[in-house]
Structures are given as C-alpha cells and as structure tokens.
Amino acid sequence: MMLQATRPLRATALLLAMAAGVAGCADSTGPDGGGGDKIIGGINFTSLFALPSAAEVQGVRSEWAGRSPSAAEVRLEATSAFLLGDTPATLEVVSHVVDGQRHMGAIIIPNSVLGGGTARPAQSATIPAVVYHHGGDQGVNLIELQLLSTAMPDLGDQVVWVVPSYRNESLRLGPDRWDSEGPESPWDRDVDDAMALLSVALERTPAIDPERLAAVGLSRGGGVALLHSIRDPRIDVVVEFFGPTDFFDAWVQLIFEDIVVGRFDPNELPGVDYLAEEFVRPFAAGQISETAMRREMIRRSAVEFGVDIPALQLHHGVLDFVVPVSQAESLVARLQGLGRGEPDFQFYFYTNGRHDPFTLAGSVPRAESFLLEYLGIDTGSADRADPLAALRAPSVNPFERFPPATDPIWSWNR
C-alpha cells in the first residue's frame, strides 16, 4: 500500500494562539523574568517537561511488568443477537474482577463460527480477534461496532470483536446498560481492563486464533490502543485514529499551564479533568513529587515505547483541534528515528481532516486493508471507495439506520 506523501504543517496557529493566551499568566521565564527555566504558578515547567530519560522509561516498564491484569470471578451477564453488518452474530456481555473492581466488556462472535447458531465454538475453528478501544470518557455504545463492521464489509464479520468499557464507565446497547466499577484511570488502567477482557475472550472463545490479534482505537481509545499494543505482546497489529501519543509535547504543556492558572474547562477534553484532579493540581500544591508526576506522563506516552509497538497504521487530520496533529507527528518522528517504515508502519495525514473519522476520506478502507493483511484474512475483494462517504451524503445514505456523524452517540464526539 502506498504511503500518503503529503506532510502537514504542524498545528502552529493553534499552539501559538494557546500560547498567547497563557503567556501573560507566567510568573516568569527565569529567576529574573528573563531567559532560563519557565516558571508558572511556582512550577518549573522546563524541568517537568524535559524529555524522559532511559532510566525513567525503564522504570515504567518495570512497573508494568509487576502488574497482573488477570481476570477473576468471570461472569456471563447477558447474551443477545447482534448484527455485524448484515451478518448474524452473538453478543456476550461478560464481567470479571480486575484490581478488586468488576469490569464489563463485550465479546461479539459471528454465528458462522458458532456451532448450532449460539453454542460455544469448536476447538478446531480459528478466527482473528480485534479489540475495539472507544473514544470519550462516557463509556461505549455497541452501535459503534455495528457501524464499524458495516463500514468494513470484508473484515467486520470475519473477526471476533472484543469491546472493553473502562473502569467507572458503562457499556450500552439500546436501553440496556452495564456499568464498570471505578475509580477511573484514563490511558493507564484502561489497558489493564482491556488485557484482562482479552484473556476472558480467549478463554471463552477457543475459535479465536491467539496468533492473530489486533487493536483499533479512536481518540482517547487511539492512545489506549497504542499502549495496549506496547504492553500486551499478544497484539500483532494496531490501527490508531487521532489519539494522544506524547504527554511531553507543547500542546500538553499548554493544557497543564491552563490547569495551574485556573483557566481549564473540565469538559474540554476526555481524561484531562481526571489528570487535573488526581495529579496536576496536587503536584502544583506540593502534594506529589515531580518524579511521580513525570511517571504518570510517561506511562501515557506511547512515543517513549516505540520499540515495542507492533505493525501500526496511523490516521490524523491536520484540522483536528481536539487532539492536534502534533501528537501524531511526534510519534511518526520517533518511529522514523527508529528506522520504522513501510510496510509495517504507515501514517496518513488528511489536509481537511478533523477529529472525526468521517472527515478522513479513505481512512476506513486503508485501515481495513491493513488489518486484513496482518490478520491473514484473504477476501479476494477489489479495492473499494470509502464506504463512510455515504454518511456525508444523507440523501444517498445506505447507512440510514445509524445516527448522523455529528451525533454524540459516537464516542469520539464526546
């Protein structure tokens, strides 16, 4: 597959506008107000945002290795019929205990691999599995899987879908809702929840081939998908849409400045209010150390673990003002510095793309083709036009059973 050659300009205008807004709030840019370290609200931002050392990164790796995100007390909560595109499937809502909290997730299995329609699959059947990581911080509605499987007709009904909610969130389908216990932990324990749920899926569904596993994520879930692939050696391939990758870049620094000076809108970005309450404000008050603060930033920064990322395809819009393209550029630069490139590392920037997959023309067919290749699914289908283009033209929309692209039912809009 050819790599899109166009390189975007950094989101310079956005960053400059944000910087101008906070410039007057700085205590100083040095001990005498001149050059030197950047001090805001008594915090040395130059020190806080210095690039992590190899020892700091290895410390986070060691901490991850000491975790045991295993699933205990597994329970089947509900089953129902489900459609993957037009293909009948079976939805299983399961729960399990991780870190003493009960977590909810979904396993969606095409009926073609189920004996007798809804019986457990035979040991001899093998099918890949894809873990879907949602956006936002209000849980996931399984209608997203119905849309995704419809938009990926060659892939959608050829895999088992594994869908975690994250702790302190809900999993929903129509009027039904299942709540995961908390406390929340965006981008960090999200991964523990997903790893545990994948283990449950592999145990309950022997039709899944453990050598063909993928992660797909959008927005917050894009960052989680990357971190999942880093921490879980079972993941062979990841497709990431406009997720955060680098908590040391200029954009995050400006957000932290806004938090410190009291100008941050807690509804502005999913997950950031949690970081503000749990880490940034306590750090500003001297309640946690800079070492601990930086550790929280590192464990959410996929760029620091590039050597551990498997086959990756990345999509980001240049006009994304929710998660700016600088986040994707940071990861691209780091991976290219490691010598990564085609065919197992592909990145696409979309000149007119925003924080919405419907605006990233051609992204869905590219993602589907990448997953088909790395999951070893041969459909023999010819290249297709972007199936989501129909959602941008409601008068000819074959997806009419779905809400419009702007509806907040889609997690990346929340």
Side-chain angles (χ1 to χ4, degrees), residues 81-270:
F82 196 86
L83 282 178
L84 291 172
D86 294 323
T87 300
T90 297
L91 163 68
E92 296 186 343
V93 177
V94 297
S95 70
H96 53 277
V97 174
V98 185
D99 297 334
Q101 310 290 336
R102 185 158 290 278
H103 171 254
M104 301 289 173
I107 306 169
I108 303 169
I109 312 157
N111 286 351
S112 58
V113 300
L114 292 172
T118 58
R120 300 309 304 164
Q123 289 282 355
S124 58
T126 58
I127 185 172
V130 178
V131 182
Y132 176 71
H133 291 281
H134 70 82
D137 56 5
Q138 299 177 45
V140 57
N141 193 315
L142 293 175
I143 192 174
E144 292 189 20
L145 268 295
Q146 294 176 327
L147 172 65
L148 195 59
S149 57
T150 300
M152 295 183 170
D154 287 340
L155 174 82
D157 61 356
Q158 298 296 313
V159 300
V160 171
W161 293 94
V162 180
V163 189
S165 61
Y166 305 131
R167 54 192 68 186
N168 198 37
E169 289 188 347
S170 63
L171 178 77
R172 298 184 301 280
L173 180 64
D176 297 320
R177 170 175 173 153
W178 301 268
D179 293 324
S180 291
E181 296 175 346
E184 63 182 319
S185 179
W187 298 290
D188 182 23
R189 297 290 178 169
D190 292 351
V191 178
D192 297 68
D193 296 339
M195 291 173 67
L197 179 61
L198 180 56
S199 296
V200 171
L202 289 167
E203 178 67 25
R204 287 190 54 81
T205 314
I208 297 175
D209 183 349
E211 302 300 319
R212 295 191 291 162
L213 303 176
V216 174
L218 297 93
S219 193
R220 170 190 176 179
V224 180
L226 285 167
L227 293 164
H228 185 185
S229 75
I230 289 163
R231 290 183 51 193
D232 192 341
R234 297 173 298 183
I235 299 297
D236 306 297
V237 56
V238 58
V239 173
E240 187 265 333
F241 286 80
F242 44 74
T245 71
D246 184 357
F247 278 73
F248 289 83
D249 92 336
W251 171 62
V252 176
Q253 180 170 331
L254 292 168
I255 290 172
F256 278 27
E257 290 178 19
D258 275 353
I259 293 169
V260 169
V261 302
R263 207 175 41 223
F264 176 71
D265 179 356
N267 297 314
E268 185 177 352
L269 292 169

Side-chain angles (χ1 to χ4, degrees), residues 22 258 290 301 335 371 403:
V22 300
D258 275 353
E290 182 178 271
S301 297
L335 292 182
L371 291 168

